[in-house]
Amino acid sequence: MKAAIIGTTGYGGVELIRILHTHPTINIHSVHTTREEVPVWNEYPHLYNIIENKLEKINVAKIAEESDIVFFATPSGVSSKLVEEFSHTNIKMVDLSGDLRLRNTEDYKTWYKKEPVQAELINKFVYGLTEWNRGEIEKAKWISNPGCYPTATLLGLAPAVKEKIIKTDSIIIDAKSGISGAGRSPSRDTMLAEMNENFKIYKVNKHQHIPEIEQQLLDWNSDIKPITFSTHLLPINRGIMSTIYVSLKEEYTTSSIHELYEEAYKNHPFVRVRPLGHFPTIKEVSGSNYCDIGVDVDERTGRLTIISVIDNLMKGAAGQAVQNANIMSGLHETAGLNFLPLYP
Ligand SMILES: NC(=O)C1=CN([C@@H]2O[C@H](COP(=O)(O)OP(=O)(O)OC[C@H]3O[C@@H](n4cnc5c(N)ncnc54)[C@H](OP(=O)(O)O)[C@@H]3O)[C@@H](O)[C@H]2O)C=CC1
Ligand SMILES: CC(=O)N[C@@H](CCC(=O)OP(=O)(O)O)C(=O)O
């Protein structure tokens, strides 16, 4: 199976290269840029003598004719335009941006402050939160890959929300991300001198992933009320930790909640519910497609604490994109994704 990558020179794109380079079935056929047509290793010297491809300009008809699937690792506002052009061809699409995730186009305008794609096109994209949307993904041709924070947060919340054991107005999410989550373009916020030995909150109550998380939670339980969601930058390259607090409707023990989570994820190879009393760290999933989850009930307050960690570039982006491409193409979901975490 042949794949094209658009947005190759960014962090999501180069992570797709890392995965697909050893994928048993999906091969990198072409890689694309809007800039100079140079060998990929000019942009990424660590790929010297390994990835022979030259970056090519985007020619929609040629890509659609030569490849079976195209990955868009492109910024929001860019993906929407590419998707419109490719929608007239037969190629499978997986988009990593936020452009095709929100069904309500007004929400997109409000939170992304950009013009949305037409709703008709959005509705043809399947939301690729793999573990909870597998049936739709199997039938899909076009996938909208979830955001990095929504992936960690929704996998952490799903069993409790779907089982309706929480007070619906009580969800508070405290999330932190490594700086590769902000992409490869330089910015003042992510400079070494700004971030090293520092820790920052950003986009307070205004993060564009709020409507995406709420949309999915409402699909699971229509009584869910608006969430509080805070995002922070950590002085590390990769990884997200989402620490989630919810009030329980009744008295539950940690072990009963733990059982619920183990049951929910027992058939999902990339979600590891940690044993009772154990909580994951970011490093323990770094470089892998795992989402690791720990749970604990505070019996004094009646609140459940959920800790969910992922690698933002893997399960939060390129890893989940390939997992979805695998399922959509009838392959085993783990194909090409059996990386152990990089530790230490
Ligand atoms: N980084 C992360 O952890 C995550 C990112 N995402 C999403 O994935 C997408 C890619 O993110 P990331 O790799 O971090 O971003 P980067 O900023 O690192 O890379 C984006 C790439 O898009 C390409 N690009 C920019 N403008 C255009 C254009 N007009 N036409 C075609 N290509 C263009 C650029 O390549 P060139 O200049 O060579 O054309 C650039 O290298 C974004 O939508 C992001 O929100 C989602 C989850 C996690
Ligand atoms: C650390 C960091 O800056 N992360 C980015 C994630 C961007 C992203 O993934 O954007 P979309 O999913 O909306 O395309 C952010 O918080 O905006």
Side-chain angles (χ1 to χ4, degrees), residues 142-178:
W142 300 348
I143 298 279
S144 171
N145 220 52
C148 44
Y149 285 119
T151 297
T153 302
L154 290 167
L155 291 175
L157 274 168
V161 169
K162 287 172 78 84
E163 219 35 54
K164 303 196 163 94
I165 59 170
I166 66 164
K167 293 185 183 159
T168 53
D169 61 353
S170 71
I171 301 176
I172 297 178
I173 302 145
D174 179 64
K176 308 107 192 151
S177 172

Side-chain angles (χ1 to χ4, degrees), residues 101 127 129 146-156 207 209-210 212-213 229:
R101 298 183 197 141
Y127 187 61
L129 187 66
C148 44
Y149 285 119
T151 297
T153 302
L154 290 167
L155 291 175
H207 198 282
H209 288 163
I210 290 173
E212 179 183 340
I213 295 170
F229 176 67

Side-chain angles (χ1 to χ4, degrees), residues 135-241:
E136 291 300 305
I137 296 165
E138 277 168 1
K139 294 180 276 173
K141 221 177 134 215
W142 300 348
I143 298 279
S144 171
N145 220 52
C148 44
Y149 285 119
T151 297
T153 302
L154 290 167
L155 291 175
L157 274 168
V161 169
K162 287 172 78 84
E163 219 35 54
K164 303 196 163 94
I165 59 170
I166 66 164
K167 293 185 183 159
T168 53
D169 61 353
S170 71
I171 301 176
I172 297 178
I173 302 145
D174 179 64
K176 308 107 192 151
S177 172
I179 49 179
S180 63
R184 202 178 186 210
S185 299
S187 74
R188 198 177 63 181
D189 272 352
T190 55
M191 284 167 59
L192 183 74
E194 300 284 327
M195 267 319 298
N196 188 37
E197 298 184 53
N198 202 355
F199 182 56
K200 303 180 188 174
I201 191 165
Y202 69 104
K203 299 187 184 171
V204 181
N205 294 327
K206 293 191 177 49
H207 198 282
Q208 74 275 12
H209 288 163
I210 290 173
E212 179 183 340
I213 295 170
E214 288 179 349
Q215 172 178 276
Q216 181 60 75
L217 294 177
L218 284 164
D219 282 353
W220 288 334
N221 177 350
S222 56
D223 291 332
I224 291 292
K225 303 290 182 289
I227 59 171
T228 296
F229 176 67
S230 299
T231 48
H232 306 78
L233 271 182
L234 284 168
I236 59 174
N237 282 352
R238 286 172 180 253
I240 284 181
M241 178 179 282

Side-chain angles (χ1 to χ4, degrees), residues 18-78:
R18 188 171 78 95
I19 299 169
L20 296 181
H21 174 59
T22 52
H23 195 288
T25 312
I26 307 177
N27 304 311
I28 303 167
H29 180 69
S30 62
V31 290
H32 301 273
T33 184
T34 54
R35 293 183 279 136
E36 241 188 305
E37 297 192 296
V38 292
V40 177
W41 68 262
N42 276 38
E43 193 67 38
Y44 284 115
H46 68 288
L47 300 177
Y48 178 67
N49 237 347
I50 299 173
I51 304 292
E52 305 291 339
N53 302 65
K54 206 170 157 186
L55 291 163
E56 300 170 34
K57 293 278 186 231
I58 302 162
N59 177 332
V60 174
K62 186 166 181 278
I63 293 171
E65 197 182 306
E66 292 180 358
S67 282
D68 305 290
I69 186 162
V70 57
F71 293 92
F72 303 118
T74 40
S76 57
V78 170

